[in-house]
Structures are given as structure tokens and as C-alpha cells.
Amino acid sequence: MAAIELAALTKVYPGSGRGVRALEGIDLTIHDGEFFALLGPSGCGKTTLLRTIAGLETATSGTIHLGGRDVTPLPPGRRNVAMVFQDYALFPHMTVADNIAYPLRIQRVPKPKRRAKAAETAAELGLGDHLARRPAQLSGGQQQRAALARAMACHPQVFLFDEPLSNLDARMRLEARTFLKRLQRELGVTTIFVTHDQAEALALADRIAVMERGRIRQLGTPTAVFRRPANTFVASFIGSTPMNLLDGTAHADGIDVGGTILPTPPGLAPHLTEGEPVTYAIRPEYVRYAPAPAPGSLRGEISVVENLGATQLVTLTTAAGLVQLVVDEDTEALPGATAHAVPRTDRVLLYRDGELLDSREKTVIAKSRRP
Ligand code: ATP
């Protein structure tokens, strides 16, 4: 088990001009035993970061320490990490037992010991009866567990998972997610998990790094990243229904959003300058539905109603743009009707130039900007 320390890690792939800058000076410490998620849209550099830690890519500059040891120049085999790939990368011509034992064979562990270890690990993961099968004779979930067993058998210091759940159907994915979390807790091995699925990252991780274009845009616990996205990029990425981000203007009596004055969130008034543009942000879950006009509400016409099972997602067309709200299953919201959206002021966030305004900051940003 080991902490992972990345310092000024940069990766540039060869290409025209300055090349492809996949990682732009990543500084990050992942704690011993932590379950850590790298989250971000396609092409943000997640896989490159994972592969660079594994040693499958060479860092252009910067350092990687695993368990206090500088592994930057070392080949993958000498880093004591195990990677589980999206497609599991099981050898099709080998049995489950041989697949699991393969890393031990490379480490020249004697055959009887290898066999015993493979059988033991397979049994732990519920594959005890499938040792003689080949990967093609396993279900997707079983293949995933065989790949996990192969990673576990050699007792690595670090697990690196590259979207290991993405080939499973929705139900299996949920089961595998719970299984993975329990397994990681039991083993206590430092784990980095790459995903573009924000729900997966929120459910699994102790901490999350949200990446964009080779940089970390926010680092924090799932709760912190969900409740207080540090910038509008993270705000629009996290949440199963995207956050409403509305253009607003700050005034002494509140925030003007599409011609309606809405209350300023608690503690933020001293941070604002009269007439400055802000982004008014509220999650659909924190917007109340009112059929009749209500104080502090945005009026609009219902354009779409989507059934989410126990709740419904209602989209209103307002003077401030589209506003989405989650209502319970019994609310009668009909397309074409006029309705009112009432944001919960204590859940409203404000962004200036795309960055979160924080009432806990000691300095008043608006004043400190002046010379
Ligand atoms: P995805 O979720 O689609 O896998 P990602 O966040 O894992 O995306 P990477 O695969 O790390 O992103 O890619 C980061 C950037 O580096 C992208 O612009 C990609 O096109 C580029 N890239 C990745 N591998 C190479 C390579 N071998 N040569 C050149 N450019 C590459």
C-alpha cells in the first residue's frame, strides 16, 4: 500500500506545432488506501494520467512517487502497480486460472504456488467454479472479476482502473460498482479509478479530481464537488440532471435574472458590486414548482416533462432561458401550462467569470480588485 505523489507532471504527445498537450503540470497527492476517481469528458487526459502512473507512457516532465519511491524512470513491471483496462485485456487463449496466475508467472513464482494463489483469488471473487473456462465462456461481469482477480493476485501497492465498468449493462454496472467499493475497502489498496461517468465517481470515490484539457479543475470529496462546484465547468459536469446556469446581474436588492429580482444567497451581498454580471446557479432538485405566482420565482411555460420514475424533470422556458426542476411524481405538470420555479436561496451559487463566489472568503473580492 502506498501514497501516490505527482509533481508538475506533463505529457506532450508528438504532433504538429507544440504537439498534443495531454497533461499540463499536474500536482496531486493521493493518500495511502484512498479510492480516488479521475473524472472528466472525453479527451481531458484521464487515461494518459493513469497510463503515465502505470509507466505505460513516459512523462515529458515532472515526477511520480509511489510509496515515497521515485518511480518516474522505472518500467511498468518495476512499479508494483496493477492496471485493469476497460476491455479487461484477458488473454483469450488462456483459462481463467492461467490468466489470473499470469503476473505471478512473469514474477517467476513456482507453479504450485501460482495455481494455489489463482484458485484462492478466484474463489474470493466468486469465480471458483470457472477456473478452467476461457474468457469467451464468461459473462461480462465475470470477465471483469477475472481481470480484477489477475490484478489482485500479485498484491500490488496500487490499483489503476481504466473505466472497468463501462462494458457492463446498467444493472450489472450497479452491482459491479458496489462489489468494487466493498473489495477496495477490504483490501485497503490505494486505487485510482478513471471514469467519464460523474454518478460512478460520486458513488465510489473518497475524493475526485475533475479534469479539463489536461488540468485539474477541482479536487475534493464527492459531497464538496457536488455541493460547491468550484467553477461553471465542474457545475455543468457534475449532477445527473445538469445544474441550471443563468445569466444574472447583481443589484442591492437581489440578482436580476431575466428581469426578475431573485434573493441574493446568504453572505454573498458584500462580495458583489452593483451591476456586475454573475452566473446564477441552482440544481434542478433545489427548485420548487409553483403553479401560481410566488415571491422569488421565475415564471415560464412548461416545454418538456420527463418521467424519471419516482420524480419528473420539468423544463420551463423563461425570460432567463431554460430552467429545469425536479418535481415529485404526483405533481401535475403539463406541457404548455404556465408555471413558476422557486429556487431554494440557501442552495443558490453565484459564479463570477466562471469561478465560484465563496462567502467564507475573508477578503471581499470586489474590493480587493480595485487598486
Ligand atoms: P477518453 O475518456 O475518451 O478515453 P481521456 O480523458 O482518457 O479520454 P486521453 O486518452 O488521455 O483522454 O487523451 C488526452 C489527449 O491526448 C487527447 O487530446 C488525445 O487525442 C491525445 N492522445 C492520447 N493518446 C495519444 C497518442 N498516443 N498520440 C497522440 N495524442 C494522443
Side-chain angles (χ1 to χ4, degrees), residues 17 21 63 73 86-87 98 128 168 181 218 255 258 262 296 310 330 338 344 353:
R21 304 188 63 83
T63 56
Q86 184 173 359
D87 61 0
D98 288 343
L168 304 176
K181 181 145 184 164
Q218 187 169 6
I255 311 293
L262 299 175
D330 299 324
T338 298
R344 243 181 81 177
D353 298 331

Side-chain angles (χ1 to χ4, degrees), residues 13-14 20 22 40-49 57 163 194 196:
Y13 290 108
V20 181
S42 183
C44 71
K46 312 177 292 286
T47 299
T48 300
L49 184 52
E57 299 288 351
E163 308 229 14
V194 160
H196 62 265

Side-chain angles (χ1 to χ4, degrees), residues 232 244-248 255 277-281 348-354:
T232 46
N244 293 297
L245 296 173
L246 307 171
D247 290 338
I255 311 293
V278 290
T279 302
Y280 181 98
V348 169
L349 302 172
L350 295 183
Y351 293 87
R352 174 194 285 133
D353 298 331

Side-chain angles (χ1 to χ4, degrees), residues 64-109:
I64 304 166
H65 283 77
L66 300 183
R69 186 170 65 120
D70 185 356
V71 300
T72 323
L74 298 184
R78 293 189 48 209
R79 295 191 180 198
N80 200 9
V81 302
M83 188 148 166
V84 176
F85 297 89
Q86 184 173 359
D87 61 0
Y88 314 134
L90 294 168
F91 297 112
H93 59 287
M94 286 187 192
T95 62
V96 168
D98 288 343
N99 262 290
I100 298 174
Y102 183 76
L104 301 173
R105 199 169 107 194
I106 300 295
Q107 289 174 4
R108 300 186 194 286
V109 174

